[in-house]
Amino acid sequence: MSAEGGPPAPHGARRGATGRGRRAIATVCLSGTLEDKIAAAAAAGFDGIEVFEPDLVASPWSPAELAARCADLGLSIDLYQPFRDLDSTDPDRFARNLRRAEHKFDVMAALGVDTVLVCSSVAPDAVEDADRLAGQLATAAARAGERGLRIAYEALAWGRHVSTWERSWDAVRRADSPALGLCLDSFHVLSRGGDPAGFAAVPREKLFFLQLADAPRLAMDVLQWSRHHRLFPGQGAFDLPGFVAAVLATDYAGPLSLEVFNDVYRQADPARTAVDAMRSLQWLEEALALRDPASGLIPPPAAPALSGWSFTELGVDGVSGPRAAEVLAALGFTHTGQHRSKPVQLWEQGRARVLLNASVVRPAGPGVASVAALGLESADPGRSAARAEAMSAPVLPRTRGAAEAELSAVAAPDGTQVFFTRTVPDGWPADFLPTGEHAGPGAGITCVDHVGLTQPFDSFDEAGLFYRAVLGLDPQEVTELAAPFGLVRTRAVTDPARSVRLALSAATLRRGGWAPGVPEPQYVALATDDLVATARALRDAGAPLLPLPANYADDLEARFDLPADLLAAVRAHGLMYEEDGAGGYLHLATEVLGDRVFFEVVQRLGGYDGYGTADAPVRMAAHRRRRQAAPAPAAR
């Protein structure tokens, strides 16, 4: 089923040289040299860039050459930044700062950019007196204005005397210079608890520039929070749609520009980061357009409703495939279909369908199995594909036989392919020829509850935005757990009806040769209405259920008032249990199959909405013990 080849290079839709809806990105967001950064920004479809001064200083290009390269790529230069510590209580130092500014004005003229970002000062000699500060800003703005240039003044959240947008607006208002206006930065405003409603008091002509960044809610020094943990819109906890809506209500007509300082982005492939950045603005614009149809922003096709899992596909080989088939049979699945033209098996039980695909090429060694593709039930697969394209996730090329269903798939950040399907008689199941075996009652498994995917650390936030923007799933809160092999970050994404659930996780640090024995684990969680009965049936069928230490059951007995028969089942079958105020969660795990994949069987009790995260460290330790004890599979 999986599509062949990698995705073509995505491109955003250019918006033109001026006007509302233009998209820009600061070069500081991206890794690499300035050459790498502008190429990535152009390929992702951005209209313009902010030039971060250290990038230009390190470039062999002159300012004029950079301007020419950007013009060739269809990029405007919208801002030159940053100019730091302009004001000073020392007259001599302020004079030197003005000379420094004149030099930057020369650079701007060669770049063809008319606006420079001036940050509020953090220096010990920063001016505190409001009128004196306004006077110095007015002096600098007058020199800029004489050359047809402008100064956008920004309050750094850690500025010595000006650390809120209200203080920066007060300075701009007092200066009363046509060449001096505000730069509003969402991080600096929202990290300080600022109220965007106050933007209504700022005249349109005084809003020179808008910079956008999201961030998680963290209790830490705001400077370190800013320098290391900013995110693209839609990846953090800030209300970016509300912030931008307040800016647009002033009639601001400049670009929506991203300025994100993030340790991961500054090390990652700039082309990929730029696409992630573009998708964040597409998501933001959709939220704004839905909030205010008169905004002038055009939303992409709405995400069609998802109603469940069509299938989960495991990529296997000659070693892992037979073992996976053996375990599926022990779990109560039946091999009901064989693909017409590909080495793909269809296994079914209830509404749960698992494909074993032996044609997926993986760089890992022999015997590895992995989740290769997810099939999602879409109310309109064609519209789902159109939305994916609009959200910078191009549909993958796919070879299709004459009698085979037309399926569209996109690649998630970790390489997993996501298919948009409808399970109807003439849909994708028609690609499978019957084996003559019919799915029976099995072991009581009814459907797929969720799929758990470990993400590369560098794409954890990217994955959350991908599933949010492309599929319309809602991200849940990010949590962290102390696992046996280090801190693990988790986040679930789900549709409102909880028909489709994905549990995403990432190890926050993995370095050196030490490994937990189950690298980047993945699992398929299968639902049952009676886990105790299902566990008994699985044990009788010889399913490789994961044994847990007696200490775990002893602890459950101490923590929860569980019935004696349930505690007996916990001890006999390796069941796990946790609960919250809404309900409980019973689950078990199989041993690992093919190095990284395992199955869970789960039963939700009451309104429990989680994923058994508190039990994960116990399960991880048990998996490692079994991996150490089991002999390595022999290549066939």
Side-chain angles (χ1 to χ4, degrees), residues 180-201:
L180 180 67
L182 281 182
C183 173
L184 292 175
D185 182 303
S186 62
F187 180 86
H188 293 304
V189 174
L190 299 177
S191 67
R192 293 293 302 259
D195 185 1
F199 299 163

Side-chain angles (χ1 to χ4, degrees), residues 572-595:
H573 305 302
L575 305 190
M576 293 171 278
Y577 177 79
E578 72 171 50
E579 65 181 38
D580 58 19
Y585 189 68
L586 271 171
H587 57 132
L588 62 79
T590 70
E591 297 176 2
V592 173
L593 316 172
D595 281 351

